[in-house]
Amino acid sequence: MLAPLAWADPPPPQSPPARQAPVPAIGRAWPVGSRPVVLRGWQPPATVYGPGHRGVDLAAPPGARVHAVAAGRVTFAGRVAGRGVVSVELAGTDLRTTYEPVRPSVRKGDRVGAGGVVGAVEPTGSHCATTTCVHWGLRRGETYLDPLTLLPPWLLHPGPSRLLPVLGVPARPRAAVPVPGPAVLSRAHPAEPSSPPRP
């Protein structure tokens, strides 16, 4: 005989979905150039297999150097679906960045520093219709994240240039400025004759 349903244990309460850890702003360089044009931004898909844009497209001419945005270790350097791809696991994090289409200049296992060159932009294989570009991606596990969050504000939105003092350089001595002395004054105001006045 089956036990009544009323006696069944209630289902355990569902825990809220785990919050994603924030992305640390550890980037020290743009992947290409010093302030490239963002042709298409990150558009997270609503579902795992839904439409979206899982990265950022940066305008870049063919042959331009591609840099690691932060220090890390190369986990992949090769071709995927006809495109050159480089993937870098960022040091001290659970994040990895990807760059494509790139002709790799590094190999799997290589260590790269922030701003280190990982390859060059390939002239073909870009999914940017009118120009060549680099698709820059960021992942934590299987979750795609916005790669622009890696960049600190000073790199993402640089302010106006400011001149800073130069430290540690000895100051040049200034040229001596003549100070009016008795000789100068005597030319300006001649002294009275030393001979006694005539009667």
Side-chain angles (χ1 to χ4, degrees), residues 192-199:
E192 293 292 327
S194 56
S195 58
R198 294 180 184 176

Side-chain angles (χ1 to χ4, degrees), residues 23-196:
V23 174
I26 58 173
R28 293 297 172 260
W30 283 89
V32 288
S34 58
R35 184 69 174 94
V37 174
V38 177
L39 298 174
R40 187 177 177 193
W42 183 65
Q43 297 168 334
T47 62
V48 176
Y49 300 107
H53 192 235
R54 296 164 171 85
V56 171
D57 292 339
L58 305 174
R65 292 180 175 179
V66 179
H67 305 270
V69 297
R73 183 177 59 86
V74 176
T75 56
F76 182 83
R79 302 199 76 72
V80 175
R83 295 179 185 168
V85 177
V86 174
S87 182
V88 178
E89 185 179 77
L90 303 183
T93 73
D94 57 351
L95 302 169
R96 71 181 182 276
T97 55
T98 56
Y99 312 93
E100 62 176 283
V102 174
R103 186 175 58 253
S105 60
V106 291
R107 292 183 294 191
K108 181 178 179 179
D110 286 351
R111 298 268 176 192
V112 293
V117 176
V118 297
V121 178
E122 290 184 331
T124 59
S126 170
H127 64 262
C128 297
T130 58
T131 184
T132 55
C133 69
V134 169
H135 179 81
W136 173 31
L138 175 66
R139 291 173 73 173
R140 173 181 279 133
E142 297 304 312
T143 304
Y144 290 89
L145 303 169
D146 183 359
L148 292 177
T149 56
L150 283 172
L151 301 180
W154 62 267
L155 193 56
L156 191 58
H157 306 291
S161 299
R162 287 186 281 176
L163 296 177
L164 299 175
V166 178
L167 304 175
V169 177
R172 281 179 31 189
R174 293 186 175 188
V177 177
V179 178
V184 174
L185 290 176
S186 64
R187 284 194 300 270
H189 304 286
E192 293 292 327
S194 56
S195 58

